[in-house]
Amino acid sequence: MAVLNRLLLRVRARARATTTSYSKFRTFSSPCSIANPEADLKASSSSSLLGSKPLPLRQDLRHPVQWVFLGCPGVGKGTYASRLSKLLHVPHIATGDLVRDELSSSGPLSSQLAEIVNQGQLVSDEIIINLLSKRLEAGEAKGESGFILDGFPRTIRQAEILEGVTDIDLVVNLKLREEALLAKCLGRRTCSECGGNYNVACIDIKGEDGSPGMYMAPLLPPPHCASKLITRADDTEEVVKERLRIYYEMTQPVEEFYRNRGKLLEFDLPGGIPESWPKLLQALHLEDHDDKQSAAA
């Protein structure tokens, strides 16, 4: 991680000298392509991985995983990356969180970022690399190793920068139907007091014409948070659709970048966490013993 950070710092310095304009932004990492509702979720990762190069799906304690998560804003990327972070004992680094932390800090970038975020646009490479470098510096000081990146890379240029400074083991691309995705984004709520994240949307898509249905239960807050829920300023239908449009233009090619390198695992979410988490673990050849014990209790 130290090598990655040093090289990112060099890139950041070069970006300061050469960047004169900002590309479009989105707070969350890449929005995703619409899942094929007729495709069955494959239990084995080998059928979902494109390319002949075998991928190190199991964690090697001598080499903590270096993974990237791609997926639409609201697809659940942060949820699953965070769970895997705890399971594999590596940091989950979400650039969306880094941006929001900067916004709340009233730092020099906060007013500029606020305007960009509220418009659903993409933050420049320079800003993202700046924030990521600072986060890696802090992690290095704490002795962190390995990582799961969530929100970086979002563009081909960022993917090429990352490819040049470290060896990414695996890129997990989470996919969800657009109608479910939109409902999830509009249902997101945060407790203004404790910061807990919830979702009030109850998604119940009926199967038709041979397509399977999908049910995603709401993630409701405890009673003491119910009256303190707020909606993020950028979770409006207009902004969410703009994020999707930007993804199709800018971020979807990142999938092809990793697909051509044989590092892309495509995973169609079949429903909510209870349905999706065990199947994602199966695709990654992992087991969550704590989850099994809690389910049996």
Side-chain angles (χ1 to χ4, degrees):
M1 185 180 288
V3 173
L4 171 60
N5 191 39
R6 284 196 295 271
L7 290 171
L8 282 175
L9 286 170
R10 291 177 198 166
V11 171
R12 181 174 66 178
R14 288 199 299 269
R16 282 188 184 138
T18 59
T19 302
T20 57
S21 62
Y22 292 107
S23 52
K24 293 187 174 180
F25 169 97
R26 239 204 44 222
T27 330
F28 274 27
S29 57
S30 33
C32 72
S33 55
I34 302 171
N36 177 3
E38 296 181 2
D40 292 330
L41 185 66
K42 303 299 182 183
S44 169
S45 62
S46 61
S47 59
S48 301
L49 289 163
L50 301 181
S52 57
K53 180 183 177 182
L55 296 176
L57 293 181
R58 294 185 185 274
Q59 184 192 26
D60 182 346
L61 294 178
R62 296 166 297 178
H63 172 60
V65 301
Q66 297 187 166
W67 289 357
V68 166
F69 262 65
L70 302 179
C72 305
V75 75
K77 187 170 58 282
T79 297
Y80 295 107
S82 178
R83 282 182 165 229
L84 286 167
S85 164
K86 294 173 183 175
L87 185 66
L88 299 174
H89 306 291
V90 296
H92 167 218
I93 303 176
T95 53
D97 291 342
L98 300 182
V99 168
R100 284 187 287 277
D101 289 345
E102 185 68 24
L103 281 168
S104 63
S105 71
S106 300
L109 292 175
S110 60
S111 58
Q112 181 184 0
L113 283 172
E115 182 178 353
I116 296 171
V117 169
N118 290 335
Q119 292 175 0
Q121 296 180 331
L122 285 172
V123 172
S124 71
D125 291 343
E126 179 186 8
I127 293 177
I128 290 296
I129 290 171
N130 189 332
L131 295 175
L132 182 57
S133 295
K134 289 197 297 185
R135 170 61 182 83
L136 289 171
E137 283 177 348
E140 183 180 347
K142 295 188 294 185
E144 291 178 348
S145 61
F147 53 76
I148 297 177
L149 292 180
D150 164 3
F152 187 92
R154 305 178 325 259
T155 66
I156 289 294
R157 179 172 180 261
Q158 290 180 359
E160 290 172 344
I161 290 171
L162 191 60
E163 182 95 348
V165 300
T166 193
D167 183 22
I168 295 300
D169 303 322
L170 179 69
V171 178
V172 180
N173 184 29
L174 297 182
K175 304 170 81 171
L176 184 66
R177 300 183 199 183
E178 189 173 20
E179 56 187 311
L181 173 68
L182 184 59
K184 276 194 69 183
C185 286
L186 297 180
R188 290 191 296 199
R189 300 291 186 273
T190 302
C191 176
S192 59
E193 187 171 284
C194 71
N197 293 308
Y198 306 101
N199 201 302
V200 299
C202 181
I203 300 170
D204 189 4
I205 301 172
K206 304 301 181 185
E208 56 183 28
D209 298 328
S211 300
M214 174 182 287
Y215 178 77
M216 303 179 78
L219 180 60
L220 299 176
H224 60 272
C225 292
S227 62
K228 305 178 183 70
L229 297 185
I230 57 174
T231 304
R232 280 177 28 188
D234 57 330
D235 274 347
T236 65
E237 186 169 352
E238 180 181 4
V239 171
V240 171
K241 287 183 175 179
E242 176 66 4
R243 291 194 199 122
L244 290 173
R245 185 192 68 77
I246 290 173
Y247 171 75
Y248 298 136
E249 288 183 1
M250 297 188 65
T251 315
Q252 209 167 21
V254 176
E255 297 177 13
E256 195 63 27
F257 178 89
Y258 287 113
R259 182 179 291 113
N260 290 339
R261 285 157 177 76
K263 294 185 176 183
L264 189 70
L265 170 62
E266 309 222 53
F267 185 83
D268 295 302
L269 292 163
I273 294 173
E275 298 82 16
S276 300
W277 176 240
K279 292 181 178 177
L280 178 60
L281 290 177
Q282 186 178 19
L284 294 170
H285 298 173
L286 294 171
E287 289 188 353
D288 185 351
H289 297 290
D290 291 341
D291 190 62
K292 285 184 176 180
Q293 289 172 1
S294 62

